[in-house]
Amino acid sequence: MRSWSAQNVPKLPGESIPLRLYDTSAKQVRQTDPGPTARMYVCGITPYDATHLGHANTYHAFDLVGRLWRDAGHEVHYTQNATDVDDPLLERAAQTGVGWQDLAEREIELFRGDMEALRILPPREYVGVTEVVGGVAELIAKLSAKGVTYALDGDVYFSVADAPKFGQVSGYDETEMLALFAERGGDPDRAGKRHPLDWLLWRAERPGEPSWESRLGKGRPGWHIECTAIALDNLGAGYDVAGGGSDLIFPHHECGASEGHAATGEWPFAKFYTHAGMVGLDGEKMSKSKGNLVFVSKVRREHDPMAVRLVLLAHHYRADWTYVPALIADAERRLARWRSAVRLASGPDAGEVLARVRERLADDLDSPAALAAIDAWADAALAGGGSDPDAPDLVKDLSDALLGVAL
Ligand code: 5CA
Ligand code: ZN
């Protein structure tokens, strides 16, 4: 599928600091250690509704990861999927009388526009599941050949009893797993399953549902296997970071990690499992099913998209937070102050600001502290402090390259 366009990223002077990131499976912050090419997979949208600030928070967090790696001289190989066929998409299409393909196409197009407006750098591969059904079926066949699956009325399940590492990504106990599995698309109570946590890999054709001809017959992939197949195909096992929101820790990333392990023998399937916090409105997680959404496409029409980005940067990526309109007003004031400061003919030396921003972001993306460093420089510059004629341009460049905020 077409990805979206990238903006030019200015090169910054001086030394960067290696990125440290929280790894959910290790339950601690560790240093990332990518090769010359850093490899990252981030779970994409299910395109049945417009992108909300919660989604944007997640893609923004991993955009910062990519920017820090680039600053450290790595190439970044970034892959993202779109779940362009799944139950919620089909249900919404049926409710609204729109074709499911038209709905997906429309929402993906809106998403691309949102990402460009927020200056989120595009993935190298942006892959719709419907484009790779044959490949997903191949992977399922490979798992079956290894004896970790079983058939149930034409559908195929992964047998959790054959997943020795299951539980190592989330660290959750079985009670918690069962509750989340039921809540997030699983079917613990389906009759005939060997274990309630066995998860669906392949759904055989049902009347009225889209299906694809494949070596498994007619049907469509289950959810988790799509991301495993797309990551494996484009990045290979042992890639650096698997990302998404914290609602994907279980079952999605847990099941995906075991699929990757079974298919390749490699553990961990991704070196880091990293998760962004949940953004809410009125005290509840923002979600399509609850309808309490703040759409990026709406906010960015009413406000400068760079102010929207500053709202995201003002929160640590792992924090859960709630959107209130005062946040965008604060961000607009900050943006105006920064823009006035970088338009001055000179300001205080910016080398220290650059070092501080790099240092704070390298420490598990402490973006609020990075903003505070630029605030302090902008305040001093606006108060007439400093006489370095290169400082305003350097601050402009570092804001652009490291924070994605164009001034
Ligand atoms: N298509 C799957 C991933 S393979 C999916 O979860 N789609 S989604 O549209 O529901 O979410 C897209 C991304 O945004 C996921 O990474 C998800 O974890 C994240 N996300 C969803 N809701 C929120 C929220 N309220 N706050 C923060 N991130 C969220
Ligand atoms: Zn995914």
Side-chain angles (χ1 to χ4, degrees):
M1 230 160 47
R2 191 169 65 75
S3 191
W4 56 93
S5 350
Q7 290 86 17
N8 183 44
V9 180
K11 272 251 155 269
L12 298 172
E15 285 284 299
S16 67
I17 300 167
L19 172 64
R20 293 159 51 77
L21 209 54
Y22 187 83
D23 174 17
T24 300
S25 54
K27 293 196 172 69
Q28 61 178 7
V29 175
R30 299 194 290 122
Q31 188 173 311
T32 63
D33 185 22
T37 300
R39 295 172 292 161
M40 174 161 71
Y41 183 91
V42 179
C43 284
I45 57 165
T46 304
Y48 68 92
D49 210 340
T51 309
H52 58 62
L53 270 185
H55 303 129
N57 187 60
T58 290
Y59 301 114
H60 172 257
F62 295 97
D63 187 54
L64 295 181
V65 170
R67 284 173 184 274
L68 287 198
W69 279 337
R70 278 184 185 85
D71 183 48
H74 299 282
E75 285 266 336
V76 179
H77 186 170
Y78 174 26
T79 303
Q80 187 179 132
N81 70 308
T83 307
D84 60 356
V85 61
D86 200 7
D87 297 344
L89 175 73
L90 300 176
E91 283 159 20
R92 177 65 63 91
Q95 278 162 18
T96 53
V98 184
W100 63 272
Q101 283 134 314
D102 295 337
L103 177 59
E105 210 171 292
R106 186 177 81 204
E107 298 304 346
I108 288 170
E109 189 51 26
L110 194 58
F111 174 72
R112 291 187 183 103
D114 289 341
M115 295 295 102
E116 279 175 14
L118 294 178
R119 303 179 107 245
I120 290 177
L121 296 168
R124 190 185 295 180
E125 296 92 12
Y126 186 37
V127 185
V129 178
T130 57
E131 298 177 298
V132 293
V133 174
V136 179
E138 290 293 332
L139 180 61
I140 297 169
K142 187 169 173 185
L143 292 174
S144 297
K146 291 185 187 272
V148 298
T149 73
Y150 61 92
L152 180 59
D153 298 334
D155 298 341
V156 182
Y157 278 83
F158 195 109
S159 163
V160 73
D162 294 307
K165 305 287 189 185
F166 197 79
Q168 292 208 12
V169 171
S170 66
Y172 297 160
D173 63 28
E174 192 162 315
T175 313
E176 205 166 353
M177 287 181 180
L178 280 167
L180 290 172
F181 190 71
E183 198 180 298
R184 297 175 179 163
D187 55 358
D189 301 326
R190 179 165 176 187
K193 279 173 64 173
R194 294 181 189 165
H195 188 287
L197 290 174
D198 292 345
W199 66 92
L200 184 75
L201 295 171
W202 182 258
R203 181 173 162 90
E205 183 181 32
R206 305 285 201 276
E209 287 187 10
S211 64
W212 286 259
E213 195 62 70
S214 80
R215 60 176 294 162
L216 305 173
K218 278 189 121 185
R220 61 181 161 102
W223 175 26
H224 317 305
I225 194 73
E226 77 184 58
C227 287
T228 307
I230 296 169
L232 194 54
D233 213 32
N234 293 284
L235 301 172
Y239 62 95
D240 294 286
V241 169
S246 59
D247 58 338
L248 298 186
I249 296 172
F250 193 91
H252 190 53
H253 286 169
E254 191 74 77
C255 295
S258 282
E259 290 165 349
H261 181 223
T264 65
E266 270 208 54
W267 187 264
F269 184 54
K271 291 185 194 150
F272 281 70
Y273 284 89
T274 298
H275 298 98
M278 286 294 115
V279 180
L281 183 69
D282 306 330
E284 287 222 67
K285 174 192 158 184
M286 214 177 269
S287 75
K288 293 164 195 169
S289 45
K290 292 203 182 87
N292 58 340
L293 307 175
V294 179
F295 293 122
V296 175
S297 40
K298 180 158 184 282
V299 198
R300 73 176 163 93
R301 273 196 300 270
E302 293 165 357
H303 304 272
D304 191 314
M306 292 297 94
V308 181
R309 185 145 183 151
L310 282 170
V311 169
L312 305 175
L313 283 159
H315 298 87
H316 189 266
Y317 80 99
R318 282 199 283 127
D320 295 330
W321 52 279
T322 300
Y323 179 76
V324 287
L327 288 170
I328 192 88
D330 288 348
E332 281 180 319
R333 273 193 295 275
R334 172 176 266 144
L335 185 62
R337 220 164 54 238
W338 287 13
R339 284 191 169 144
S340 307
V342 300
R343 277 170 184 69
L344 295 170
S346 65
D349 171 51
E352 264 176 50
V353 190
L354 174 56
R356 175 81 182 151
V357 169
R358 276 183 168 143
E359 188 250 319
R360 286 294 79 224
L361 290 177
D363 181 10
D364 196 29
L365 308 177
D366 184 359
S367 57
L371 297 193
I374 300 181
D375 284 344
W377 178 87
D379 288 347
L382 290 168
S387 55
D388 181 350
D390 297 327
D393 276 350
L394 180 54
V395 171
K396 196 165 175 247
D397 281 355
L398 78 89
S399 167
D400 186 349
L402 298 175
L403 303 175
V405 176
L407 294 176

